[in-house]
Amino acid sequence: MTAVSLPPVAPEVTATLVEDLSPRLRKRLDAAVTKLGSRPTHRDGETVTIAVDDDTELRLHAPSGVVATVDAITCGCLLAPACVHRAAAACAAPAADPAPEPEPAAESTPDAAPDPAAQPAAPTVPDSTPPPNSTSSPGDTTPPTAPAPATTAPTPTPALDEATPAQREAAAALWSAGAAVLEAGVAGAGAVAQAALLRAAHTARLRHLPRGASAALSVVTLLRAARVGDPSYRTADLVTALAELLGTAHRVGTASGAELAAVRGRARRPYSPDGSLRLYGLFTEPVVTDSGHGGARTWVVTADGRLCTVGDVAPGGVGRALGVADRTVRLGDTALTHRELGRAGLAVSGATVSPDGRLGAGKGVKAVTARGAAWTEPPLAALWETPPAEQAARALRSVSRYAEPDGGGSDLLFLDVELLGAIGESGGTCLLARCDGGVPVRLAVADDDPALAHRDNLMLLATAPGTRLRIIGRLVPAPHPRLTLLACSHPTGESTVDLGFDRLSRADLPDPVAPVYSAPDRPGGPGAESPLHLLERRVEQTVPAGRAALGMVGDVTAEARRLRRAGLPTAAGLLTALRASAARRERDLFGRLLPADTDGFAAHWLAAARYTAAVAESLCAAAWEPGPAAPTHGPTEATAPRPAESHR
């Protein structure tokens, strides 16, 4: 048999199969998942078969590509259907994206925001702060408490801008499942813990909390990647996903009005009509994802200066990305390819646009080719007129680890720079440039795949110091100004270069060619290390091995003292509280250990995770400001957000 990938399984199917197992079989589930992963599989139409052994086969029936019911997984062993194999197959398969959520009943789950003219706006409550009736001071480092499960006692019908009891109960389930993962760590969060997350995600979707459901599915995906040793897995990604899950679950119980709508999220990206649009091509970039998808994305600008994208991404990897660039754009009847559109224009009627700027390609969309515009002509030239610091602040809001859904904005920066040459880093080499205000910017490779032109082009540009270019890059959050370079004006001043697709040659560069050189950070500049990493590493340390690993860490007094000396007393307080919560175990009257306070530890961890993210983003924004170099010790308490500010 030839090994094939398993079809996605609906979250509720996996959760049900695991919940139906006996306690004895649940203990064997992780081993069964590992064993199935090494067994041969083959596909026959809509059915994937796994050879459990020489005499037993396991079948997953996936009409429309997804295993949607419990009965769609069958096993030929003697213990079926009560065997461990069906649950193991579901746990080994990827979790399917949830189906569109059912329409809410108007009398029970109102999702519409209240009319601002009819009632006053509700106060915005940060997700990390206690409720409005709390007596905590602004600098209090007490973390948020876990959302309490809904009681069975009758409750009055909530107002339009409040979460329903069912939503609060679903949020409590999300919190409990996320806190259990944090307690156990990756090593202990096996198939049973993942099933609890999947059940909580399914319930949250039914209660019209798609943002929380999506966060739970992200945690499951990352847990599985970590446990199988996927090389693309990063602990920082799981930290972000867990903090998003816990933070969203907490905020359901405290948010109201517009904030509650953002916490609930959207199940699908809505496309809204935008009438007739005049579009001007900007550039085209290759898209290659870790999941094996590939394609191209072309950026265009409307006549009023809005950024929009036209994309074509599907399974296929880098090979598909290279091919799609020269395929016709899927927008109306235009004959332009993606690379041609990046330098031309379109007149579109019946346009539809999503909140993040994606252009829809429905049947009602009509498009004809029109004249484009140079980067030095309106409306494109206006993109380069905004000061770099303002652009960086806008982009940072878009790429924030905990950005609100539908927040809008773009992560692109448009800069006029002078190339300075190559600079060595621990991870390789990047190109150093100077933009307006004298701010040095590191330009990194957007994709290291040798089939793409990114690295070759960047290294070639590094041999031409003194060259002035107009560039487009994607912000990389870091304590120093940093971009991944996507496109630039041609060194000769003619046309533009899509740095992922077009290849420059030495003939395109001005003479003379200078040697590559290395330049150190500016003394005391924003590249200097901040002691914030003392708290960040404790936050990350919890995820692989759980609360117990952090509880065994020795005294953190010296680390807390260093943070205070650096002007970060809030970070010091969070570190001390996190360590104490991890090590705290109460005993009953007979000296027996009581269960650990899982919710309390998760709350302390969430406060620390969100705080470190907010301070890191603050450092990134400050690095783009022109002027004197920042202090070497990092931000002071005056510039670093407190927990109440950082959990928004």
Side-chain angles (χ1 to χ4, degrees), residues 54-469:
D54 293 340
D55 302 318
T56 306
E57 289 187 338
L58 184 66
R59 292 182 174 86
L60 291 84
H61 184 56
S64 303
V66 175
V67 178
T69 64
V70 172
D71 295 337
I73 303 180
T74 58
C75 182
C77 74
L78 295 177
L79 295 178
C83 62
V84 74
H85 303 130
R86 298 169 68 223
C91 293
D97 290 332
E101 66 177 36
E103 289 298 324
E107 70 275 11
S108 60
T109 53
D111 281 342
D115 183 357
Q119 41 185 308
T124 300
V125 182
D127 68 278
S128 65
T129 54
N133 60 355
S134 171
T135 58
S136 300
S137 64
D140 189 4
T141 59
T142 302
T145 56
T151 62
T152 57
T155 55
T157 302
L160 287 178
D161 62 346
E162 294 179 358
T164 66
Q167 288 177 331
R168 293 174 185 269
E169 186 176 9
L174 287 171
W175 175 279
S176 296
V181 169
L182 199 61
E183 173 75 15
V186 170
V192 174
Q194 294 166 26
L197 278 166
L198 293 174
R199 173 60 69 194
H202 177 61
T203 303
R205 182 185 67 82
L206 295 179
R207 301 292 184 265
H208 315 292
L209 298 174
R211 180 174 178 181
S214 177
L217 292 180
S218 295
V219 171
V220 171
T221 300
L222 289 166
L223 281 173
R224 290 176 175 177
R227 290 175 64 85
V228 301
D230 188 330
S232 66
Y233 166 77
R234 294 172 60 251
T235 300
D237 293 336
L238 185 51
V239 169
T240 300
L242 272 171
E244 168 70 8
L245 171 62
L246 294 171
T248 300
H250 168 70
R251 291 173 66 190
V252 169
T254 61
S256 61
E259 185 186 2
L260 178 59
V263 171
R264 286 171 173 156
R266 293 179 182 270
R268 288 291 184 267
R269 179 183 298 107
Y271 283 81
S272 56
D274 208 345
S276 298
L277 294 176
R278 179 68 166 89
L279 304 177
Y280 298 85
L282 192 58
F283 76 102
T284 300
E285 63 171 323
V287 178
V288 182
T289 69
D290 292 336
S291 60
H293 289 67
R297 179 190 298 119
T298 298
W299 290 80
V300 295
V301 179
T302 64
D304 58 357
R306 287 181 294 154
L307 286 169
C308 298
T309 59
V310 182
D312 183 352
V313 180
V318 68
R320 187 178 190 279
L322 293 171
V324 165
D326 294 314
R327 291 184 188 176
T328 303
V329 173
R330 297 177 181 176
L331 193 66
D333 299 324
T334 178
L336 292 175
T337 67
H338 278 274
R339 295 174 73 172
E340 290 171 342
L341 175 58
R343 297 176 175 87
L346 283 178
V348 182
S349 62
T352 57
V353 185
S354 71
D356 61 358
R358 300 192 189 193
L359 290 165
K363 295 181 180 179
V365 179
K366 307 296 181 183
V368 296
T369 303
R371 176 186 175 276
W375 287 4
T376 55
E377 300 174 349
L380 304 187
L383 297 171
W384 280 265
E385 294 174 0
T386 304
E390 292 184 22
Q391 293 191 51
R394 179 211 64 220
L396 193 57
R397 290 192 295 271
S398 174
V399 302
S400 171
R401 298 183 207 175
Y402 310 106
E404 296 289 358
D406 300 337
S410 164
D411 57 358
L412 300 183
L413 269 71
F414 306 86
L415 305 176
D416 290 306
V417 302
E418 177 187 357
L419 303 184
L420 300 179
I423 178 172
E425 296 184 320
S426 58
T429 303
C430 68
L431 174 59
L432 191 66
R434 182 187 295 113
C435 66
D436 294 343
V439 176
V441 181
R442 299 188 186 199
L443 306 177
V445 175
D447 194 312
D448 262 323
D449 195 302
L452 301 175
H454 286 298
R455 176 159 292 281
D456 291 343
N457 285 332
L458 187 137
M459 291 296 98
L460 191 62
L461 290 173
T463 66
T467 303
R468 293 196 62 84
L469 294 176

Side-chain angles (χ1 to χ4, degrees), residues 513-551:
V513 176
V516 176
Y517 72 96
S518 296
D521 287 332
R522 292 180 298 168
E529 186 180 37
S530 163
L532 185 67
H533 73 277
L534 298 173
L535 179 58
E536 288 176 326
R537 72 176 180 179
R538 298 307 184 192
V539 169
E540 289 199 5
Q541 183 180 12
T542 306
V543 172
R547 178 193 57 79
L550 187 60

Side-chain angles (χ1 to χ4, degrees), residues 1-21:
M1 294 184 181
T2 303
V4 298
S5 59
L6 298 180
V9 178
E12 62 272 22
V13 171
T14 303
T16 299
L17 288 171
V18 174
E19 290 164 356
D20 288 345
L21 292 177

